[in-house]
Amino acid sequence: MNSTLDGNQSSHPFCLLAFGYLETVHFCLLEVLVIVFLTVLIITGNIVVIFVFHCAPLLNHHTTSYFIQTMAYADLLVGVSCLVPSLSLLQYPLPVEESWTCQVFGFVVSVLKSVSMTSLACISIDRYIAITKPLTYNTLVTPWRLRLCIFLIWLYSALVFLPAFFHWGKPGYHGDVFRWCAEAWHTDPYFTLFIVMMSYAPAALIVCFTYFNIFRICQQHTKEISERQARFNSQSEETGEVQACPDKRYAMVLFRITSVFYILWLPYIIYFLLESSTGHSNRFASFLTTWLAISNSFCNCVIYSLSNSVFQRGLKRLSGAMCTSCASQTIAKDPYTVRSKGPLNGCHV
């Protein structure tokens, strides 16, 4: 990778983007803007998702809500952990040694994103079972088994990236905003292959297999209903399709989330493989692909809010509750003014 650390470097801050440093502010301006902006979006968006799930009980009727909430908590922790490089880039002193900080940060973010990736694979398996085994689904997928599965997801993700602490190699580029991670912590082709084979590849294959079969089965059911309609002329095509494959629309929402996840993560995975195999690195490419992938932690919130009508109703309910709370505080502070103006409007649950 890059050359080894040199203790006699200039007093300029370490910036991955050479054009992101300004002499007047003495920190990496562009990196700070990108990371702080993403951090605020990720934390805000996932807090909203978590609160909406508490305000909309209908969302919890789907077993996939367990995994979606797991992803929301994992993405929220990604946003919180991104405060560490933000403070470092702003030249705040680190409480511990930089090498240890960047290793822990890189490990934590890698584990959290692996949790999201594995949760998406589990969601696809859950929808596959719901469509292929509808009669035995409730006996196969129970709350206790879902909680056990979530625990195993966290445990497995931590174990996959744990060898990074035993000098196997760097698990990713999340910590490269620290000089030690960027210049002294190298990737290893065997460890990279291990991560791909144990985390990235299985999750991608499971998602492709399950969603391909889900939509194939739904298409078969739609075709059968069309044939029955033509034969008996008793039901409309739209009603038949809903009865034949009631989970198709929800599967499409989950498929969109999964597709965006892999679209944003694909450049990172490709660069990770190329850098590990060739040994050539590019700071701009590593920064761009890494934080593009991390931005997925916010995209999940946007896709779910735009695609799920129940989630939208829960979001309106949360907004209405907050609006009602603000209105009650206003009445408490100035009851005479509010009474003279009449009842407050615009805050409906």
Side-chain angles (χ1 to χ4, degrees):
M1 285 181 60
N2 300 315
S3 59
T4 56
L5 290 173
D6 185 4
N8 297 322
Q9 292 177 357
S10 65
S11 60
H12 288 183
F14 173 71
C15 299
L16 291 172
L17 307 178
F19 47 87
Y21 170 74
L22 296 178
E23 293 284 348
T24 55
V25 294
H26 298 288
F27 60 80
C28 308
L29 180 63
L30 189 55
E31 286 97 324
V32 169
L33 291 176
V34 171
I35 295 176
V36 170
F37 178 70
L38 286 178
T39 300
V40 172
L41 288 181
I42 292 170
I43 293 177
T44 305
N46 285 284
I47 286 177
V48 170
V49 170
I50 292 169
F51 274 105
V52 168
F53 267 94
H54 288 286
C55 292
L58 287 177
L59 287 171
N60 296 315
H61 289 178
H62 286 283
T63 54
T64 51
S65 64
Y66 286 83
F67 298 110
I68 293 175
Q69 290 183 76
T70 299
M71 291 173 57
Y73 281 109
D75 290 336
L76 176 62
L77 292 175
V78 169
V80 173
S81 63
C82 288
L83 293 173
V84 176
S86 301
L87 295 176
S88 174
L89 290 171
L90 289 171
Q91 303 299 308
Y92 280 87
L94 298 173
V96 295
E97 189 178 352
E98 183 185 77
S99 60
W100 176 251
T101 301
C102 79
Q103 286 185 80
V104 172
F105 173 72
F107 170 79
V108 168
V109 175
S110 298
V111 169
L112 293 174
K113 299 316 297 179
S114 177
V115 168
S116 295
M117 188 178 298
T118 311
S119 296
L120 288 173
C122 291
I123 287 173
S124 66
I125 294 174
D126 175 81
R127 292 299 88 199
Y128 178 76
I129 296 174
I131 291 177
T132 57
K133 300 180 183 296
L135 299 179
T136 58
Y137 175 78
N138 289 331
T139 58
L140 293 173
V141 182
T142 62
W144 183 86
R145 289 179 179 176
L146 288 171
R147 294 187 185 97
L148 177 62
C149 182
I150 291 172
F151 170 76
L152 292 177
I153 287 173
W154 285 90
L155 179 63
Y156 180 78
S157 299
L159 291 177
V160 167
F161 291 95
L162 189 62
F165 285 106
F166 300 98
H167 308 290
W168 275 35
K170 183 162 61 174
Y173 307 101
H174 312 100
D176 278 12
V177 292
F178 303 99
R179 185 189 296 273
W180 189 91
C181 273
E183 297 184 352
W185 199 14
H186 307 292
T187 57
D188 183 88
Y190 296 106
F191 186 48
T192 301
L193 182 62
F194 172 79
I195 293 174
V196 171
M197 296 302 295
M198 298 299 293
S199 181
Y200 299 159
L205 291 174
I206 289 172
V207 166
C208 292
F209 172 80
T210 52
Y211 280 112
F212 173 79
N213 284 280
I214 286 171
F215 293 121
R216 180 180 60 83
I217 293 170
C218 288
Q219 187 176 9
Q220 289 177 353
H221 288 182
T222 303
K223 183 178 179 181
E224 291 175 1
I225 289 223
S226 299
E227 292 175 353
R228 292 176 184 176
Q229 178 196 359
R231 185 180 305 172
F232 300 105
N233 196 21
S234 59
Q235 292 182 343
S236 66
E237 184 177 356
E238 290 184 1
T239 304
E241 183 178 356
V242 173
Q243 291 179 354
C245 200
D247 286 337
K248 184 177 180 180
R249 181 175 295 181
Y250 191 56
M252 280 299 301
V253 175
L254 301 173
F255 180 72
R256 291 189 193 106
I257 294 175
T258 306
S259 300
V260 171
F261 182 93
Y262 281 99
I263 289 172
L264 293 176
W265 272 85
L266 188 59
Y268 171 84
I269 295 173
I270 292 174
Y271 177 78
F272 191 33
L273 291 171
L274 290 176
E275 197 271 344
S276 300
S277 59
T278 63
H280 298 290
S281 63
N282 183 285
R283 290 181 178 178
F284 178 79
S286 66
F287 181 87
L288 180 64
T289 56
T290 297
W291 292 96
L292 179 66
I294 289 179
S295 68
N296 174 77
S297 297
F298 171 71
C299 294
N300 290 339
C301 314
V302 176
I303 297 171
Y304 207 72
S305 61
L306 294 178
S307 304
N308 192 299
S309 58
V310 179
F311 185 90
Q312 292 172 2
R313 289 197 296 270
L315 185 58
K316 290 180 181 178
R317 182 178 177 181
L318 176 62
S319 302
M322 294 178 63
C323 192
T324 303
S325 176
C326 293
S328 62
Q329 290 181 3
T330 304
I331 293 174
K333 288 181 180 179
D334 197 356
Y336 299 104
T337 304
V338 174
R339 191 178 302 161
S340 63
K341 291 182 180 180
L344 292 172
N345 296 319
C347 302
H348 301 285
V349 179

